[in-house]
């Protein structure tokens, strides 16, 4: 079950590969995510040294009046990946000039997981072609229904 989804990421990026990662979160953040609060809009995956971080994701506290005074909603959150997965993400992002984007946060065996997408940014031309293809497919389906 997906708790938070980055809805319009597929409009701006072409997803080439996906990877599952764990998240290092506080208890109030876990409760907040399970209630569906939070946003992945504008978030990115950043690799620094031997660690990967989720940057730009907004996860509010579960109960705003009971939180620590210095709580930050937009703080970088560490991703739980092994060294081979981090190395693979680093080579795809740095050498191949691809972007690492978060897709969804979901529940897997009572643990919260993040789907990471290795993506290539779409140009305006690609977006227009996709819209034309979707419209033509829709009109073909409409004609097929009318002919039956």
């Amino acid at each position: 079950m997906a708790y938070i989804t980055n809805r319009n990421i597929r409009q701006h990026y072409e997803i080439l590969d996906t990877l599952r990662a764990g998240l290092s979160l506080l208890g109030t953040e876990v409760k907040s995510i399970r209630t569906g609060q939070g946003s992945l809009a504008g978030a990115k995956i950043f690799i620094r040294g031997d660690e990967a971080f989720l940057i730009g994701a907004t996860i509010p506290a579960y109960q705003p009046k009971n939180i620590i005074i210095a709580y930050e909603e937009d703080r970088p959150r560490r991703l739980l990946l092994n060294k081979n997965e981090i190395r693979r993400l680093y080579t795809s992002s740095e050498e191949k000039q691809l972007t690492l984007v978060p897709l969804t946060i979901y529940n897997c065996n009572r643990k919260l997981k993040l789907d990471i997408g290795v993506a290539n940014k779409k140009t305006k031309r690609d977006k227009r072609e996709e819209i034309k293809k979707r419209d033509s497919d829709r009109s073909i389906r409409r004609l097929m229904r009318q002919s039956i």
Side-chain angles (χ1 to χ4, degrees):
M1 175 179 162
Y3 292 120
I4 301 174
T5 305
N6 201 346
R7 295 179 190 265
N8 47 353
I9 199 74
R10 297 189 193 278
Q11 292 176 354
H12 303 292
Y13 293 97
E14 176 187 358
I15 307 299
L16 304 175
D17 190 20
T18 59
L19 185 71
R20 178 190 292 183
L23 284 166
S24 178
L25 299 169
L26 301 174
T28 59
E29 293 174 336
V30 172
K31 287 182 177 182
S32 178
I33 289 173
R34 288 201 172 138
T35 58
Q37 299 175 4
S39 173
L40 291 176
K44 300 270 190 215
I45 307 297
F46 184 71
I47 297 175
R48 185 180 311 142
D50 290 339
E51 295 181 337
F53 295 94
L54 174 65
I55 296 177
T58 304
I59 301 173
Y62 179 63
Q63 294 175 334
K65 293 185 180 177
N66 293 340
I67 62 167
I68 305 167
I69 295 172
Y71 178 75
E72 297 177 30
E73 293 183 352
D74 298 345
R75 72 177 179 86
R77 290 163 180 92
R78 189 166 162 254
L79 299 179
L80 305 174
L81 296 165
N82 63 34
K83 289 182 183 180
N84 291 334
E85 292 170 335
I86 292 174
R87 191 176 309 122
R88 189 175 104 196
L89 290 175
Y90 181 77
T91 56
S92 63
S93 68
E94 293 297 322
E95 294 175 4
K96 298 178 184 176
Q97 298 296 318
L98 299 175
T99 307
L100 304 174
V101 292
L103 301 175
T104 58
I105 296 178
Y106 59 94
N107 192 16
C108 180
N109 297 333
R110 297 188 63 208
K111 292 182 171 46
L112 292 179
K113 300 291 182 177
L114 172 74
D115 268 350
I116 300 171
V118 179
N120 193 8
K121 191 163 180 137
K122 288 183 183 178
T123 61
K124 284 187 178 183
R125 181 179 178 189
D126 294 336
K127 291 178 188 178
R128 284 191 210 116
E129 287 176 4
E130 184 177 324
I131 291 170
K132 286 179 188 177
K133 183 177 183 271
R134 189 177 344 134
D135 290 343
S136 65
D137 289 344
R138 188 179 301 142
S139 63
I140 289 171
R141 277 187 270 129
R142 190 177 304 131
L143 289 173
M144 292 295 289
R145 272 187 276 150
Q146 290 175 354
S147 66
I148 294 177

